[in-house]
Amino acid sequence: MISPRLSAKIESDEPSMKIAVLIDADNAQAAVIEKLLAEVARFGEATVKRIYGDFTSPSSASWKKVLQEFAIKPVQQFAYTTGKNATDSALIIDAMDLLYTRNFDGFCLVTSDSDFTGLAMRIREEGLTVLGFGEQKTPAAFKNSCHKFIFTEVLRPELEKVISVNKQQTKTISDSASDVTKKIKPSFPKKFILDALEQSSDDEGWAQLGTFGSYLTKLQPDFDSRNFGFKKLSDLVKAKTNLFVIDHRETPGSSFKQLYIKAK
């Protein structure tokens, strides 16, 4: 079940959590770090930012360029033997040390490695929120152990071209953006979305957008409207006129309007 803190954050505009961001350099890309941290900021403040890996290795050269810019603390792990167990162990040990300080509301684990499934589950047992970031190849076990899992493919710079093209309904698209689309745009889960809407709606079939979005994440932590070419969930439901009826309702005592949706 989704964390109450995360559920509240989804429906709120203000960051509410202190988050420890732990990055597995062996299974993450430096190119997405700026947007990744911006995504974390939607949920709360990244009070700790650490990255684990062998920074003497040529494969880590891209990370060395961004660590100072984004105030990320590197934790050096020399590759004494083949494999990455030293990196994994160091990250897990640090995560447990941070967990026991009781200074955090949540953890952000940046990796595509299923070896961190147990860590995510342990953090959840303490009642803290777990955010996961990784590539689409990430095993389901790790994705489902997080309260919310975001594919790093949607954070890559090329995706902005894809979303822009999708909105303009034009066929002019760069080769790189086309490649990204093929990688990250799965088939639209119509049945899953309509089932979630039914479960989150009132007796008349209406659901407030925030409630609907929270329920989608409860059922499928890696659900993200950006996977289907839409920047926000509201953009998705407005575009799917064949599936949804929408209604903007004023909030009592406020001029603010909330979006409600209903299946056609």
Side-chain angles (χ1 to χ4, degrees):
M1 185 173 181
I2 194 168
S3 161
R5 290 190 181 93
L6 182 56
S7 180
K9 174 60 201 130
I10 290 174
E11 299 178 13
S12 169
D13 292 329
E14 294 298 324
S16 57
M17 298 191 294
K18 291 182 178 179
I19 302 173
V21 179
L22 306 179
I23 305 169
D24 174 12
D26 296 326
N27 285 281
Q29 294 184 332
V32 303
I33 190 60
E34 182 175 4
K35 291 193 175 182
L36 187 151
L37 292 176
E39 195 75 21
V40 172
R42 292 178 54 230
F43 299 95
E45 178 187 2
T47 54
V48 166
K49 291 178 286 186
R50 298 180 186 175
I51 185 169
Y52 302 78
D54 183 3
F55 299 102
T56 64
S57 169
S59 61
S60 298
S62 59
W63 278 112
K64 289 188 282 188
K65 298 177 182 178
V66 301
L67 296 184
Q68 186 172 1
E69 179 181 356
F70 295 101
I72 302 171
K73 178 182 178 181
V75 180
Q76 172 65 30
Q77 291 297 310
F78 291 101
Y80 296 113
T81 59
T82 302
K84 55 186 187 305
N85 289 336
T87 296
D88 293 359
S89 298
L91 192 156
I92 292 170
I93 291 170
D94 267 11
M96 296 306 296
D97 286 344
L98 293 170
L99 176 65
Y100 291 131
T101 66
R102 309 294 179 186
N103 291 331
F104 300 93
D105 301 304
F107 281 72
C108 172
L109 304 178
V110 185
T111 182
S112 301
D113 193 340
S114 62
D115 290 347
F116 295 101
T117 301
L119 173 62
M121 294 173 64
R122 180 66 184 88
I123 294 171
R124 288 187 65 151
E125 288 175 356
E126 292 294 318
L128 304 187
T129 296
V130 182
L131 305 175
F133 288 82
E135 297 180 345
Q136 285 193 327
K137 67 181 181 180
T138 305
F142 178 63
K143 291 189 293 185
N144 292 331
S145 68
C146 301
H147 289 100
K148 176 67 177 176
F149 189 89
I150 297 172
F151 292 129
T152 53
E153 284 89 345
V154 305
L155 305 178
R156 292 177 183 169
E158 294 91 339
L159 186 66
E160 291 183 351
K161 301 176 186 177
V162 176
I163 293 176
S164 175
V165 168
N166 184 72
K167 285 185 175 181
Q168 296 172 16
Q169 295 183 343
T170 175
K171 293 183 180 179
T172 304
I173 188 168
S174 68
D175 292 338
S176 60
S178 180
D179 291 341
V180 172
T181 305
K182 293 175 183 177
K183 288 180 181 179
I184 70 167
K185 196 172 181 180
S187 58
F188 187 74
K190 178 180 175 181
K191 184 179 184 304
F192 164 72
I193 287 179
L194 291 178
D195 286 347
L197 178 57
E198 181 180 358
Q199 295 298 321
S200 58
S201 61
D202 59 22
D203 292 340
E204 297 181 351
W206 290 97
Q208 196 270 335
L209 184 68
T211 303
F212 175 53
S214 296
Y215 199 79
L216 286 170
T217 305
K218 289 178 186 179
L219 296 177
Q220 190 171 308
D222 61 357
F223 180 84
D224 194 322
S225 57
R226 290 171 294 187
N227 295 337
F228 310 103
F230 298 95
K231 196 170 184 179
K232 299 178 181 178
L233 180 60
S234 58
D235 294 333
L236 185 153
V237 300
K238 289 175 183 177
K240 298 294 181 179
T241 55
N242 61 317
L243 298 180
F244 306 109
V245 177
I246 64 173
D247 183 25
H248 292 88
R249 302 181 184 178
E250 288 190 2
T251 304
S254 171
S255 59
F256 177 74
K257 290 187 176 182
Q258 292 188 328
L259 179 63
Y260 282 75
I261 63 172
K262 182 179 183 179
K264 272 194 171 179

